[in-house]
Amino acid sequence: MAELTKSEVIDERQYIVVKLGEEQFGIDIQYVDNIVRMQRITRVPKAQHFFKGVINLRGEIIPVMSLRLKFGLAEDEYKNSTRIIIIKLEPQASIGIIVDEVREVVNLSSDRIDKVQYDANATNEEKLRYLSGIGKHNDGLISLLNIAAVIIEKEERDRERA
């Protein structure tokens, strides 16, 4: 068997594909700690409109946000397929994000991902700043989330408010 040179090695990552409305989004699996069924969310006063509250997951209090509201989509409709994906960016910090449905896990190589160009001044491109790229899988496209941008922005606004 011949050895691959560095230029022949293709970077491949796994993404969990989720649905929000009719759109498919990919979340890098390295940040996914858990996927749980929808459960009762305790509201927190004076939180941003997309911050739904907190849940208690095996003794850990986890804040939960709605990706639909964050992206300016319609309010969440909770169904049997609705899930909360627990994201862990840092060992001690978790956050839950509500998605309509978890579809599958896909492997995407770097040559199947296009970078996203956006204009920070364009109002209709608000959602694009949360994307790291567009993945091509089978006959469809998957908007790949930059999960750190989605979550950290929220934390920075919280700090500014304090």
Side-chain angles (χ1 to χ4, degrees), residues 96-121:
I97 56 174
I98 300 169
V99 299
D100 294 348
E101 181 184 344
V102 174
R103 301 291 303 260
E104 62 184 324
V105 174
V106 299
N107 292 321
L108 290 176
S109 56
S110 54
D111 64 337
R112 307 273 305 150
I113 298 172
D114 292 333
K115 292 289 174 210
V116 176
Q117 302 296 323
Y118 73 95
D119 178 358
N121 299 321

Side-chain angles (χ1 to χ4, degrees), residues 13-17 29 35 102-107 137:
R13 289 194 171 172
Q14 286 189 314
Y15 293 88
I16 289 186
V17 178
I29 205 165
I35 300 173
V102 174
R103 301 291 303 260
E104 62 184 324
V105 174
V106 299
N107 292 321
H137 180 68

